[in-house]
Each structure stands twice: as structure tokens, then as C-alpha cells.
């Protein structure tokens, strides 16, 4: 049999293929040749064949039949064979295949080989893809090599140890003695990898952390030498000496200085020095400054240093390099809570970044802008944000609109300004507004009594030509129904008064009903509005009667029901009509479902009123709401169709926002509102809709999977009824500890969440202990509590992660 | 670093180094999606993007994209320097490296990478030392060749 073709030859040949099919054919032919060669146990060409296989694997073709061959190559004595063999192992094998364990013995031998390059290959392979079993078996060898004086091997052993610790955290202790003199090395490679190893150990164990704090002076010294020493050609990058090492040292200092006054004090000077002396003309200098800023902000630095850090970030914002700007915005977002005033000083630069072309920068600038809005700058900021809303990409509009509403609610300087702002949002991004915004806005409008005429006029004008933006049309319809009398009487002094007749108003509402752009919910709003106008208008009552009776046979069940009942109002209960359709009272912001409110709003069908808290947009009706409907006699409920969540780009700067990606829903397909049965006249009992808070709120099991159980217990604050304090207890019923446990939670935007520090990060096995953590939830609107949780932990040597929704909160915890 | 990918402007993979255990299927999926995402970026955009729960740092050198996935606590700017250092190493080794060099000598590109990074972290910050090690290893490869084989080993 002729010698198998050479690697480069094969590559050349395959590249001549003109079509995918041709390439596939060549590959299959060659694979067949390689297979038979393998079967013949040919030692001479095994290396060549595996190399070719690796190339074909990179092109996307299956290469698993070469796995065992890689092992044979590793076992060979020839260096070339080992080189290709280990490469093959790293590319084709992973810990999922049992085959990989066969490598262990070879690696063990090679770790003790006489040639350092062979030892290097073994260390590299173990450090890149060693499984937990392999790591357990070979940790001793790695530890030995960590103590060698050969710096080539020592640096590799250090990173290999890092990998071992990541895979099998329990083995961390055994490397402790070897770390004794690591920082005394002159060799930068060893220094760098040692710092990485120390960082890994300190991050994983508070004991190690306190143990290694004594290294701070030495680290400071090394860093100082790097900065002060002259030009060192071997490690120089654009005039800076070993930036990689500088950055890693700064990161280790961050971990050591965190929460520790003495260590922070000891590193104060060097941080100031680095911050002021580092050359900023190239990326490498800025990389060091960036790390320095992160460290300054995280340790207990003095205020002067912190201001210095923020100013560096401010300068970054003005940098032409958009990478630097991006990094600055990310860091500012992290620090805006703690150093708010300092960040405020850079507000105008941040706002300018809203106009950046890069999407990631825009998003960060938007988040930061919302964090910086306050009572003083609201007018100016809002102008910028509204302009941004107008011109930004669709993926931002929903978040931006929500953010604007929130900010406006908190800081509006006047009611008129507030309403104008809302109008602006509705008209520019009306279809991106979230569903729960509509009832909020309606409630806001009812509260500004002097603005009713102004508002309804503006809304009327806004939808005159265009019914496509559903939330806008919904709010407008509702207002026209409620304040139609003001609209036609042109009581509004502020705007140029427009002459509107009853007919014109009804024209619009009827058009909304007919338009095929109108969602079912919108039609509901329009029909009810028309009905309400029967008491507010004088000349057009017959027209209204006609419209209402037409819809009595509508295919849409919701509309049909309403129309039939309104018809009944006209026919049988005409004497009650004016009372029923009276002007709405001002709605309470902190809403409850108290019986008295229902009596007041008798007969009104607006879901926004009856269920005086905004209906949960799109998610399953709560069992609470169902109970209510059952109490009042099973009327038809429009099925609530959950809308598809938008896929939000994950934002690294805010994990909470990321977790909320599914809770926030697009308003493009607004969910039908949960409709309360319209007729409460029949058999309305003044049954309280929630139980009095009994002594003690039942606790719930929020999560239980894979042996991890998380329970929530609740307490309500006596001083602030909007605060719920949740204590979580995480327990572990498996036979191995769960380490590095991190609990994260996200709630819908109308809530606020505060997570206090957990009791520890390790959940001992066999339920022998728990992690407790306190969550404070602020729920001013008394909305039903929902939470999404993210759990990350290490268990049995692998990293675990899970997302879950908690929906079983007892009503006493949030009402 | 969780992984590094090198791919051409047409989306062809030239090198893949994974530092986390994933199945072949998952690797393919991630590669496909990420390549698509990065290739869709406009030239003026910044080198960082958020993707799933990772930070992606990428830079284009001639016809090749160098793309790294780093974790939340890693420094994006120094990652750019890491990428640049790797390119410099390739350049020194091959003498004005171009995509073809990496295509035809992919195994050497891996060898160089494995002397520069280990387990996703930098193991040697001196350019000279990395190149010296490669040189010595290449020499060892020469020496260990069986006498019958001619110039190219495989």
C-alpha cells in the first residue's frame, strides 16, 4: 500500500474542491484510507493520519474513530507523535468519553519525563481538559512540579494547579505549601501564573484569603518595580513593562483589599501611582488603568482615590476609542450606586454617548442615564431620552419607554409635564410600550383632574390619523369615553381650542372598532368608551344605541358580551345608566381589592378599574383572580395568552436585567386583559377578596431540584407595608457539598429588590447545614409577587446553573 | 478565557481552542452562532459584545477574526492585548503571517498558542521565551525523526 498522502498535500487537494459535495467526496475517500491504515496498526504513518484527521475535523467532519489513535501516539516515544497525539487528545477527546481516562497513565509518565518539552505537553493537556478523575489522580505530580526550580515547568504547573482546583476544589489545600516562595521568582512567566493561582485560591476560600493577605506588601513591591524599572525589552509593550502581569497583580490586590482596611491602606499609594503615571495613548495603558479603577472602587480606598478613579472613567468617556468608552460606561454603571455624585459630574458626556453608533455603547449609556436621572436634571435628561427614544433601534424602545415612565413618575416637576411626556412616549413609541403601562397611565390621568380637558384633546389629536399604536389608542379611547364631554365643549384654555363634535368623536371610536389594526383589547376599550358617551353626549345617543346593538352579534366573545350587556342597560336598566356610567373617581395609587371600591365602580367593565391593580400582562391569571371570578359566578373569562418574551441582548452590566428578559414582554402583541365580569349588580357580595393577614405568613418551597432545596419564609414590615422581607434557606440533600453557591433574583420592574449578603457560599451535604440570605422586596403597587431566580454552584466537580420562576408566593406576602 | 476561535470572513473556522468541557454538538452550535453574530458587526463597532452570559472580545487582522470568550471578571482591554500578542507570535514564527500560513500549518498555530496560554490563562509574558520554547520543541521534533522519512514529518 502506498504511503498515505502528506498533510499539506491533503490540505492543498481539499482546497481545490469547488463545491461542498466535491469536498465531501474527497474527505470520505481520505477517511476511508485513514481508517484502513489505522486497522493495519501502522506506526510510521499514524502521526500523519491523525494530523490529517484533525484538519478534517476542523472542517466539520466526524473524526471520533481517531480517538484511540491519539492515545497510541501519546504513548509513543517519538516527540512528534506525542505532539500530535496530545493535540489530537485536546481536540477530539473530552471528559464525556470514558476513553479519555486511558490517557491518565501516559500523562503521569510524561509528567516525569526527562525532556521538559514532553513534560510541558502533559501539563498543558492536563491543564486544558483534564477531568476531575484525572485531576485527582495526577494532582500529586502537579504539586511536585510546582516546586521545581525549572521555571519553564513551574509556570505550567501553576496553571495546571489552577485547573485542578477548578475541577476539584477540595484539592486546593494540598497546593498551599508549594505557594510559599512563588512570588520570590524573577521569572515573569512564573510570577504571572503564580498570581493567577493565588487569585484562584483566594477567590474560593476565605481562609486562603486571610492567609495570603500578608503578601500584599510583596505584591505592591513587584508592581512598583514594574512601573519604576527602566525599559525591559523582553517584557515591553508600547513602553509599559509586562502589562499582563500588572493587570493580574492589580486584580489580586483587589481581592485582597476588599473589606480589609489594612490591606487597602497598604496599596493606596501604588494605586495612586499607577493611576497617575500610566501612559494612556495606547490600549495597553488603558487596560491597566481600567483594572486599577476596578480595584480602587472595590477596596476600602480613601475618597480622594475614588474621585481619581471616577475621573479616569470620565476621561475614558471622551476617548476616541470606542472600546475604551464602552468599558468606561460598564464601570460607571457598576459604581453609580455607591458613588452617585461623582458619576453625576460626567452626566453630559454619558448622555452624548446615547448618540453613539455602537449598539452596546448606546445600551449602556441608556441604562446609566436612567440611573442618573433625579429631580434636578429631569427636564434636561428627559429631553435627551425622548430624543433617544425617537431615534433608537427597536430593541431599545420597550426598555427606554419603561424607563421614561418610571423616571417621569418619580421626578415629574408638574402634572402637565408628566402628561406631555407620557403623550410623547405614546406617540413616538406607542407600539413598544408595555401592557402594564396602559392602566398606569390611565390612573395617572384620572389623578390630574385639572388636566383632563387638555389631556383628552391631545389624545384625540394624536390618534386622529393613525390607529396603529395600540397602547396609545387604548389610552385615548378610554379618555375619550370618560372625558368626551370636555372634548366637545372645548373647555381647554391651554391649547388652541379645536372644535370637535359628538359625531366626530364617535367616528373615531367606531373607526377603532372597525379597523383591522385594532387588537381585541383595544376594541373593548373603544366599545366601552362609546357606551360611556351615551351619558355624556346629548345628540348622538341613538347612534350609540345602534353601534352597541350591532356588536351584540360580534364574533369576538368579549365584545359580544359587553355589547349584550350594554344593550340590556339601555333596555331594562335605563334608569341606572347615568349612575353607572358616571365620571370615575380618583383611583388610589396603592391599590387594594377592597369591597368598597367595587361598589363605587359598579357596572364598569374596564379591567383597569375593577381590578384596580394593573392586570399581570400576559402571564397566567393568578389563582387569586380566578377565585374572585368564581365568587362572582362563573362568567366567561377571556383566556389570557402569554405573549412571547422578547430576546433581550444579555447585558453584562446588569444581571438582573438579563434575568428579567423573560418577564418583560413586548407590547407588540398585547395580551388580552383579564376581564372582570361586567355585571356585579347580580349577587355582588361584599366579600373581602383577601384574607386578613393571619398571624404568620406560610412559607413556601421556592425551588427543589437535584438535591438543592430553597425555602422562602416571609415577614412584613410593620413600618412600611410595601416591604416584604424574604429569608431564603438553601439546603443540600446530596452526598457532596455544593460550593460557590450564588443566589440571584430578579423581579418585575415595578418592584425593587435588595439582596443582603448570604451567610456563606457552601451548602454542606446531607442537609447538615444551610445557607441563609435575606431579600427585601419593595412593592409599592401591591402587585402580585413574582420572581425569577438564578442559581449557580459547583457540585461534584462541575459547574451547575439553573434558572427558575417562583410563582407560588402566598398572597399575604404581597397584598 | 473559555474559548478562542479563529475564522475567516467567509465564516470558515481556522482554529478552535476550548478551555471548557462541551460536547461536539454544543461546540458546533456555539461556533455557528458566534461566527454569525461577529460577522454581522459593522466595522465601526466596538470590539466587545455580550453574548449569552459571556463577554466576547474580537478583533480582525486582515482576513481573520480572532474571537475570545471571557468571563465577567476578566479585563476586556487586556484580552485585546492577549489577542495582539498571539498575532505577534504567529507573525514572528511564520515571518509576516497570513491566513494561508495558519491554514497549512494549523498544528503549529496550536503549538504556539499552547506555549502562550494554558487553561485559558497567559503562561508566559515574554515573547522571546515563547518563541524560544517553540524553536526548541521544533528542534526536538527534527531530531526525533526516523532516518527514513524525508523532509516533512507528516
Amino acid at each position: 500500500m502506498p504511503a498515505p498522502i502528506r498533510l499539506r498535500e491533503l490540505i492543498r487537494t481539499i482546497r481545490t474542491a469547488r463545491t461542498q459535495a466535491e469536498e465531501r467526496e474527497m474527505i470520505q475517500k481520505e477517511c476511508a484510507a485513514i481508517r484502513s491504515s489505522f486497522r493495519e496498526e501502522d506506526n510510521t504513518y499514524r502521526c500523519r493520519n491523525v494530523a490529517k484527521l484533525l484538519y478534517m475535523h476542523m472542517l466539520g467532519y466526524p473524526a471520533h474513530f481517531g480517538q484511540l489513535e491519539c492515545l497510541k501516539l501519546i504513548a509513543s516515544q517519538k516527540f512528534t507523535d506525542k505532539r500530535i497525539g496530545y493535540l489530537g487528545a485536546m481536540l477530539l477527546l473530552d471528559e464525556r468519553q470514558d476513553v479519555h481516562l486511558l490517557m491518565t497513565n501516559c500523562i503521569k509518565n510524561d509528567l516525569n519525563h526527562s525532556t521538559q518539552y514532553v513534560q510541558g505537553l502533559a501539563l498543558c493537556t492536563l491543564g486544558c481538559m483534564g477531568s476531575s478523575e484525572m485531576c485527582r489522580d495526577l494532582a500529586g505530580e502537579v504539586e511536585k512540579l510546582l516546586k521545581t526550580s525549572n521555571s519553564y515547568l513551574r509556570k505550567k504547573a501553576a496553571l495546571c494547579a489552577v485547573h485542578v482546583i477548578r475541577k476539584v476544589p477540595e484539592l486546593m489545600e494540598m497546593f498551599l505549601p508549594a505557594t510559599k516562595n512563588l512570588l520570590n521568582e524573577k521569572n515573569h512567566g512564573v510570577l504571572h501564573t503564580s498570581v493567577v493561582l493565588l487569585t484562584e485560591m483566594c477567590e474560593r476560600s476565605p481562609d486562603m484569603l486571610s492567609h495570603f493577605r500578608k503578601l500584599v506588601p510583596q505584591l505592591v513591591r513587584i508592581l512598583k518595580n514594574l512601573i519604576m524599572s527602566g525599559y525591559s525589552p523582553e517584557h515591553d509593550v508600547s513602553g509599559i513593562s509586562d502589562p499582563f502581569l500588572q493587570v493580574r497583580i492589580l486584580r489580586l490586590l483587589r481581592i485582597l483589599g476588599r473589606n480589609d482596611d489594612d490591606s487597602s491602606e497598604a496599596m493606596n499609594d501604588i494605586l495612586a501611582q499607577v493611576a497617575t503615571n500610566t501612559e494612556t495613548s495606547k490600549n495597553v495603558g488603558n487596560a491597566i488603568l481600567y483594572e486599577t479603577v476596578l480595584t480602587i472602587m472595590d477596596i476600602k480606598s480613601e475618597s480622594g482615590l475614588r474621585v481619581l478613579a471616577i475621573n479616569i472613567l470620565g476621561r475614558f468617556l471622551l476617548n476616541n476609542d470606542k472600546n475604551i468608552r464602552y468599558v468606561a460606561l460598564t464601570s460607571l454603571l457598576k459604581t453609580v450606586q455607591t458613588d452617585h455624585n461623582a458619576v453625576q459630574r460626567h452626566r453630559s458626556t454619558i448622555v452624548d454617548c446615547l448618540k453613539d453608533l455602537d449598539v452596546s455603547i448606546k445600551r449602556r449609556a441608556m441604562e446609566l442615564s436612567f440611573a442618573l436621572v433625579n429631580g434636578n436634571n429631569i427636564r434636561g435628561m428627559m429631553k435627551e431620552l425622548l430624543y433617544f427614544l425617537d431615534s433608537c433601534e427597536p430593541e431599545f424602545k420597550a426598555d427606554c419607554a419603561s424607563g421614561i415612565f418610571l423616571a417621569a413618575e418619580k421626578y415629574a416637576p408638574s402634572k402637565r409635564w408628566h402628561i406631555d411626556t407620557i403623550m410623547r412616549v405614546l406617540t413616538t413609541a406607542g407600539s413598544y410600550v408595555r401592557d402594564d403601562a396602559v392602566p398606569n397611565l390611565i390612573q395617572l390621568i384620572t389623578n390630574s383632574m385639572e388636566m383632563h380637558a387638555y389631556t383628552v384633546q391631545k389624545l384625540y389629536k394624536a390618534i386622529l390619523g393613525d390607529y396603529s399604536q395600540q397602547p396609545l389608542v387604548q389610552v385615548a379611547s378610554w379618555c375619550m369615553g370618560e372625558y368626551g364631554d370636555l372634548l366637545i365643549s372645548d373647555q381647554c384654555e391651554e391649547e388652541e381650542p379645536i372644535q370637535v363634535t359628538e359625531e366626530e368623536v364617535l367616528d373615531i371610536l367606531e373607526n377603532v372598532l372597525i379597523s383591522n389594526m385594532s387588537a381585541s383589547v383595544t376594541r373593548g376599550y373603544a366599545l366601552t368608551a362609546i357606551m360611556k358617551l351615551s351619558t355624556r353626549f346629548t345628540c348622538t345617543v341613538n347612534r350609540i344605541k345602534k353601534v352597541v346593538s350591532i356588536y351584540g352579534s360580534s364574533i369576538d366573545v368579549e365584545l359580544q358580551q359587553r355589547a349584550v350587556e350594554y344593550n340590556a342597560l339601555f333596555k331594562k336598566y335605563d334608569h341606572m345608566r347615568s349612575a353607572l356610567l358616571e365620571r370615575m373617581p380618583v383611583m388610589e395609587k396603592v391599590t387594594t381589592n377592597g369591597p368598597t371600591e367595587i361598589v363605587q365602580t359598579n357596572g364598569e367593565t374596564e379591567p383597569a378599574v375593577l381590578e384596580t391593580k394593573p392586570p399581570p400582562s400576559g402571564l397566567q391569571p393568578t389563582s387569586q383572580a380566578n377565585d374572585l371570578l368564581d365568587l362572582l359566578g362563573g362568567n366567561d373569562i377571556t383566556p389570557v395568552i402569554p405573549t412571547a418574551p422578547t430576546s433581550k441582548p444579555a447585558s453584562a452590566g446588569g444581571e438582573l436585567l438579563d434575568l428579567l428578559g423573560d418577564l418583560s414582554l413586548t407590547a407588540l402583541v398585547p395580551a388580552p386583559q383579564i376581564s372582570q365580569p361586567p355585571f356585579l349588580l347580580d349577587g355582588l357580595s361584599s366579600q373581602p377578596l383577601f384574607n386578613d393577614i393571619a398571624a404568620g405568613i406560610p412559607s413556601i418551597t421556592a425551588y427543589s431540584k437535584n438535591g438543592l432545596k430553597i425555602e422562602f419564609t416571609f415577614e412584613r414590615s410593620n413600618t412600611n407595608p410595601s416591604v416584604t422581607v424574604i429569608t431564603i434557606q438553601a439546603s443540600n440533600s446530596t452526598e457532596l457539598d455544593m460550593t460557590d453557591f450564588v443566589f440571584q433574583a430578579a423581579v418585575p420592574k415595578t418592584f425593587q429588590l435588595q439582596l443582603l449578603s448570604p451567610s456563606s457560599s457552601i451548602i454542606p451535604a446531607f442537609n447538615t447545614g444551610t445557607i441563609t440570605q435575606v431579600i427585601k422586596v419593595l412593592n409599592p403597587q401591591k402587585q402580585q409577587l413574582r420572581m425569577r431566580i438564578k442559581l449557580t454552584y459547583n457540585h461534584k466537580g462541575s459547574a451547575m446553573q439553573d434558572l427558575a420562576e417562583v410563582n407560588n408566593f402566598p398572597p399575604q406576602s404581597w397584598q | 478565557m473559555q474559548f478562542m476561535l479563529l475564522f475567516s470572513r467567509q465564516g470558515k473556522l481556522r482554529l478552535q481552542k476550548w478551555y471548557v468541557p462541551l460536547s461536539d454538538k454544543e461546540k458546533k452550535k456555539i461556533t455557528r452562532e458566534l461566527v454569525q453574530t461577529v460577522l454581522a458587526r459593522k466595522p465601526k463597532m466596538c470590539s466587545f459584545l455580550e453574548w449569552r452570559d459571556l463577554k466576547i472580545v474580537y478583533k480582525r487582522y486582515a482576513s481573520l477574526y480572532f474571537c475570545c470568550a471571557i468571563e465577567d471578571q476578566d479585563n476586556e482591554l487586556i484580552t485585546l492585548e492577549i489577542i495582539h500578542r498571539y498575532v505577534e507570535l504567529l507573525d514572528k514564527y511564520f515571518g509576516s503571517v497570513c491566513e494561508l500560513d495558519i491554514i497549512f500549518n494549523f498544528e503549529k498555530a496550536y503549538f504556539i498558542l499552547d506555549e502562550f496560554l494554558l487553561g485559558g490563562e497567559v503562561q508566559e509574558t515574554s515573547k522571546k521565551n515563547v518563541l524560544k520554547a517553540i524553536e526548541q520543541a521544533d528542534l526536538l521534533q527534527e531530531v526525533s525523526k526516523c532516518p527514513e522519512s524525508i523532509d516533512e514529518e507528516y
Side-chain angles (χ1 to χ4, degrees):
Chain A
M1 182 166 153
I5 75 170
R6 298 207 185 104
L7 170 63
R8 324 270 176 229
E9 190 71 47
L10 177 69
I11 298 178
R12 221 183 325 264
T13 311
I14 292 178
R15 283 173 63 78
T16 62
R18 272 162 299 158
T19 63
Q20 186 71 7
E22 214 179 314
E23 182 185 276
R24 215 180 358 252
E25 209 182 297
M26 291 178 184
I27 302 255
Q28 276 172 356
K29 198 168 129 208
E30 184 58 36
C31 276
I34 293 179
R35 275 190 148 106
S36 48
S37 186
F38 283 162
R39 271 196 294 273
E40 288 171 20
E41 297 280 342
D42 186 321
N43 285 339
T44 326
Y45 296 112
R46 181 175 288 128
C47 183
R48 181 180 294 188
N49 286 327
V50 169
K52 287 187 287 186
L53 203 55
L54 294 180
Y55 177 72
M56 295 189 284
H57 177 253
M58 184 145 64
L59 292 179
Y61 297 92
H64 43 270
F65 59 92
Q67 285 168 1
L68 272 173
E69 303 300 314
C70 292
L71 293 176
K72 292 180 195 163
L73 283 174
I74 292 174
S76 155
Q77 286 312 307
K78 278 174 63 180
F79 183 66
T80 314
D81 283 354
K82 283 189 188 283
R83 237 184 169 185
I84 295 290
Y86 276 118
L87 179 61
M90 285 193 273
L91 288 175
L92 300 181
L93 287 170
D94 61 59
E95 52 186 59
R96 285 143 204 275
Q97 287 115 12
D98 294 324
V99 174
H100 86 281
L101 285 170
L102 297 173
M103 269 199 290
T104 314
N105 215 38
C106 282
I107 294 187
K108 188 170 190 167
N109 292 334
D110 283 342
L111 284 174
N112 291 306
H113 203 273
S114 49
T115 311
Q116 68 176 15
Y117 297 105
V118 174
Q119 290 174 293
L121 285 175
L123 280 168
C124 181
T125 308
L126 182 59
C128 285
M129 44 97 59
S131 63
S132 334
E133 294 91 349
M134 280 171 76
C135 287
R136 260 185 237 274
D137 287 339
L138 299 170
E141 305 296 326
V142 176
E143 197 259 345
K144 230 167 45 193
L145 287 170
L146 193 50
K147 296 192 281 214
T148 176
S149 54
N150 180 334
S151 48
Y152 177 77
L153 293 174
R154 207 171 185 201
K155 71 189 184 197
K156 290 180 193 271
L159 288 182
C160 205
V162 170
H163 179 82
V164 169
I165 292 174
R166 283 180 185 160
K167 281 306 215 186
V168 193
E170 301 94 73
L171 292 174
M172 182 161 48
E173 294 286 328
M174 74 181 279
F175 292 107
L176 187 54
T179 62
K180 226 164 173 212
N181 296 315
L182 278 177
L183 290 184
N184 295 339
E185 270 273 357
K186 289 278 176 267
N187 180 296
H188 281 222
V190 179
L191 269 177
H192 186 277
T193 59
S194 302
V195 172
V196 175
L197 175 58
L198 291 169
T199 308
E200 188 70 30
M201 291 169 105
C202 290
E203 275 174 339
R204 283 177 183 273
S205 157
D207 290 331
M208 292 283 183
L209 182 56
S210 3
H211 173 82
F212 284 124
R213 276 222 174 89
K214 61 178 193 262
L215 292 176
V216 170
Q218 197 174 5
L219 288 165
V220 169
R221 232 179 1 251
I222 298 173
L223 190 53
K224 195 161 189 163
N225 281 336
L226 286 173
I227 302 170
M228 306 297 275
S229 68
Y231 176 72
S232 148
E234 197 175 336
H235 299 109
D236 181 271
V237 180
S238 304
I240 297 183
S241 194
D242 207 337
F244 304 108
L245 183 55
Q246 288 194 36
V247 164
R248 276 329 286 239
I249 291 180
L250 285 163
R251 187 160 146 184
L252 180 54
L253 286 175
R254 177 155 80 243
I255 294 168
L256 295 173
R258 202 180 271 153
N259 292 326
D260 188 273
D261 291 318
D262 291 329
S263 304
S264 302
E265 167 92 43
M267 51 181 87
N268 209 65
D269 285 343
I270 191 68
L271 289 174
Q273 212 178 346
V274 176
T276 43
N277 288 342
T278 308
E279 195 43 60
T280 59
S281 54
K282 293 254 175 77
N283 179 64
V284 59
N286 288 320
I288 295 176
L289 278 178
Y290 176 38
E291 197 74 33
T292 312
V293 166
L294 289 177
T295 300
I296 293 175
M297 299 315 289
D298 217 5
I299 63 172
K300 302 211 145 188
S301 46
E302 42 174 66
S303 59
L305 202 53
R306 293 180 89 85
V307 172
L308 181 60
I310 302 236
N311 287 344
I312 290 177
L313 292 179
R315 275 205 308 277
F316 274 6
L317 279 179
L318 299 167
N319 197 307
N320 284 329
D321 185 340
K322 61 184 81 58
N323 291 335
I324 311 280
R325 290 207 298 276
Y326 174 92
V327 143
L329 286 170
T330 311
S331 313
L332 284 170
L333 203 52
K334 287 191 199 147
T335 62
V336 73
Q337 301 300 337
T338 45
D339 294 80
H340 192 93
N341 292 329
V343 181
Q344 277 283 2
R345 269 181 240 130
H346 300 280
R347 195 179 63 243
S348 50
T349 327
I350 293 170
V351 166
D352 279 339
C353 289
L354 285 171
K355 306 195 182 77
D356 202 295
L357 292 164
D358 185 305
V359 179
S360 312
I361 291 186
K362 270 204 259 216
R363 174 164 287 280
R364 290 219 165 353
M366 181 182 81
E367 285 167 11
L368 204 45
S369 299
F370 281 126
L372 290 175
V373 171
N374 63 26
N376 293 328
N377 58 35
I378 180 74
R379 281 187 193 268
M381 287 296 275
M382 199 50 83
K383 235 180 20 215
E384 298 285 347
L385 289 166
L386 283 170
Y387 179 75
F388 175 69
L389 181 65
D390 218 350
S391 53
C392 70
E393 287 82 352
E395 63 203 80
F396 290 121
K397 292 209 194 236
D399 291 330
C400 191
S402 299
I404 290 179
F405 284 147
L406 268 168
E409 217 170 285
K410 275 202 262 190
Y411 303 112
S414 76
K415 287 231 159 98
R416 163 138 183 196
W417 180 95
H418 196 168
I419 299 224
D420 278 341
T421 306
I422 291 173
M423 291 290 308
R424 190 63 196 278
V425 174
L426 284 176
T427 45
T428 47
S431 33
Y432 298 96
V433 165
R434 292 206 178 90
D435 300 333
D436 58 359
V438 171
N440 279 339
L441 297 176
I442 290 177
Q443 186 247 311
L444 195 67
I445 292 170
T446 59
N447 283 344
S448 343
M449 287 198 277
E450 64 285 8
M451 302 292 305
H452 288 167
Y454 171 74
T455 310
V456 70
Q457 270 230 355
K458 277 203 98 135
L459 284 167
Y460 172 79
K461 283 194 265 193
I463 69 168
L464 209 40
D466 170 26
Y467 316 127
S468 60
Q469 305 192 84
Q470 297 302 293
L472 174 61
V473 175
Q474 286 168 16
V475 175
S477 305
W478 191 91
C479 287
M480 289 198 287
E482 188 66 13
Y483 309 121
D485 47 327
L486 300 177
L487 185 54
I488 53 167
S489 67
D490 62 37
Q491 274 178 23
C492 178
E493 314 100 2
E494 309 207 45
E495 290 282 299
E496 313 115 31
I498 51 170
Q499 298 286 32
V500 187
T501 66
E502 295 185 11
E503 298 283 349
E504 283 168 332
V505 176
L506 286 173
D507 281 342
I508 290 207
L509 287 171
E510 280 194 55
N511 284 338
V512 170
L513 269 175
I514 306 171
S515 165
N516 48 17
M517 288 189 278
S518 297
S520 181
V521 175
T522 315
R523 289 207 178 92
Y525 273 95
L527 187 59
T528 303
I530 292 178
M531 185 59 191
K532 284 202 245 179
L533 290 174
S534 70
T535 55
R536 290 154 176 75
F537 284 178
T538 47
C539 345
T540 45
V541 182
N542 284 329
R543 178 176 174 181
I544 293 175
K545 273 195 201 167
K546 214 162 72 176
V547 172
V548 165
S549 69
I550 291 174
Y551 279 89
S553 44
S554 160
I555 304 175
D556 184 324
V557 175
E558 173 66 27
L559 282 184
Q560 189 190 103
Q561 181 178 341
R562 290 184 191 213
V564 162
E565 284 161 357
Y566 294 157
N567 258 329
L569 248 190
F570 273 123
K571 300 219 166 65
K572 286 202 284 174
Y573 297 99
D574 206 38
H575 52 284
M576 293 179 128
R577 189 163 46 90
S578 47
L580 282 172
L581 302 176
E582 222 173 46
R583 181 81 89 228
M584 255 347 156
V586 170
M587 285 183 252
E588 291 288 307
K589 192 78 222 273
V590 178
T591 55
T592 58
N593 285 337
T596 46
E597 299 208 358
I598 294 203
V599 168
Q600 270 180 325
T601 56
N602 249 345
E604 278 296 39
T605 67
E606 283 313 311
V609 177
L610 274 185
E611 189 161 355
T612 48
K613 46 185 209 283
S617 354
L619 294 177
Q620 284 73 20
T622 63
S623 53
Q624 198 70 11
N626 277 334
D627 290 341
L628 164 60
L629 297 169
D630 283 341
L631 275 175
L632 300 172
N635 285 303
D636 283 346
I637 315 164
T638 318
V640 175
I641 304 155
T643 59
T646 42
S647 55
K648 281 174 69 169
S651 75
E655 294 132 332
L656 288 186
L657 296 173
D658 188 23
L659 290 173
L660 279 172
D662 285 327
L663 285 178
S664 56
L665 310 167
T666 76
L668 288 173
V669 182
Q673 313 279 353
I674 296 176
S675 158
Q676 296 297 322
F679 268 75
L680 300 175
L681 297 174
D682 303 325
L684 171 66
S685 55
S686 21
Q687 181 141 355
L689 297 168
F690 57 91
N691 297 320
D692 287 333
I693 295 175
I697 306 169
S699 51
I700 59 170
T701 301
Y703 177 93
S704 180
K705 204 164 137 192
N706 296 329
L708 172 64
K709 185 159 103 160
I710 299 187
E711 290 202 39
F712 283 13
T713 49
F714 304 94
E715 267 176 8
R716 298 298 291 271
S717 163
N718 287 325
T719 46
N720 184 349
S722 309
V723 172
T724 306
V725 178
I726 306 176
T727 305
I728 73 156
Q729 291 226 335
S731 59
N732 169 11
S733 63
T734 68
E735 71 278 13
L736 270 181
D737 290 358
M738 294 172 179
T739 58
D740 300 301
F741 181 84
V742 175
F743 175 92
Q744 290 169 297
V747 287
K749 279 210 156 75
T750 47
F751 297 79
Q752 278 181 54
L753 196 65
Q754 187 189 10
L755 228 61
L756 305 183
S757 304
S759 59
S760 90
S761 65
I762 300 182
I763 318 179
F766 299 111
N767 290 324
T768 48
T770 61
I771 289 180
T772 48
Q773 191 167 4
V774 171
I775 309 170
K776 288 191 186 165
V777 180
L778 182 66
N779 181 7
Q781 295 184 28
K782 300 257 173 161
Q783 291 199 36
Q784 200 223 335
L785 189 51
R786 306 191 312 266
M787 191 181 280
R788 178 161 275 208
I789 59 178
K790 180 175 175 183
L791 311 162
T792 51
Y793 57 96
N794 287 333
H795 190 234
K796 298 187 183 162
S798 35
M800 308 279 292
Q801 183 179 300
D802 202 6
L803 279 172
E805 263 200 32
V806 185
N807 279 323
N808 52 339
F809 288 94
Q812 303 94 313
S813 64
W814 48 269
Q815 278 187 330
Chain B
M1 193 183 295
Q2 292 210 356
F3 57 84
M4 180 190 283
L5 302 172
L6 263 71
F7 50 90
S8 70
R9 305 241 287 137
Q10 287 75 38
K12 293 220 148 180
L13 198 60
R14 298 302 179 205
L15 187 145
Q16 50 174 332
K17 188 75 189 180
W18 299 84
Y19 295 110
V20 286
L22 290 166
S23 70
D24 231 16
K25 199 166 128 197
E26 284 167 306
K27 287 183 193 167
K28 280 206 165 108
K29 180 158 182 264
I30 291 175
T31 306
R32 198 175 41 236
E33 281 178 29
L34 201 49
V35 167
Q36 232 175 12
T37 309
V38 172
L39 288 178
R41 302 271 290 181
K42 302 193 195 61
K44 289 285 185 186
M45 290 180 148
C46 74
S47 300
F48 315 127
L49 58 106
E50 296 100 30
W51 187 80
R52 301 197 184 178
D53 60 342
L54 293 169
K55 300 199 277 195
I56 305 292
V57 180
Y58 72 94
K59 189 147 182 203
R60 197 179 124 210
Y61 286 85
S63 57
L64 269 183
Y65 283 89
F66 288 70
C67 186
C68 299
I70 58 176
E71 280 153 355
D72 212 37
Q73 62 272 45
D74 293 325
N75 182 324
E76 294 95 322
L77 298 179
I78 207 76
T79 309
L80 280 174
E81 292 300 319
I82 292 176
I83 293 176
H84 191 74
R85 173 56 64 90
Y86 182 44
V87 174
E88 283 180 327
L89 290 166
L90 290 170
D91 195 58
K92 210 52 193 286
Y93 183 81
F94 288 109
S96 282
V97 68
C98 64
E99 191 183 343
L100 275 178
D101 290 319
I102 300 183
I103 294 172
F104 278 93
N105 301 285
F106 70 95
E107 86 280 8
K108 302 220 172 66
Y110 277 108
F111 295 153
I112 296 172
L113 186 60
D114 286 341
E115 283 298 327
F116 176 44
L117 303 178
L118 201 160
E121 306 280 354
V122 171
Q123 66 176 281
E124 179 58 66
T125 58
S126 151
K127 237 189 302 190
K128 190 176 89 182
N129 286 350
V130 175
L131 292 167
K132 199 161 69 178
I134 293 288
E135 202 181 317
Q136 298 284 24
D138 281 349
L139 216 60
L140 201 57
Q141 195 170 309
E142 277 297 308
V143 163
S144 79
K145 266 199 289 203
C146 23
E148 313 88 59
S149 73
I150 4 150
D151 51 338
E152 207 177 289
E153 185 57 37
Y154 39 75

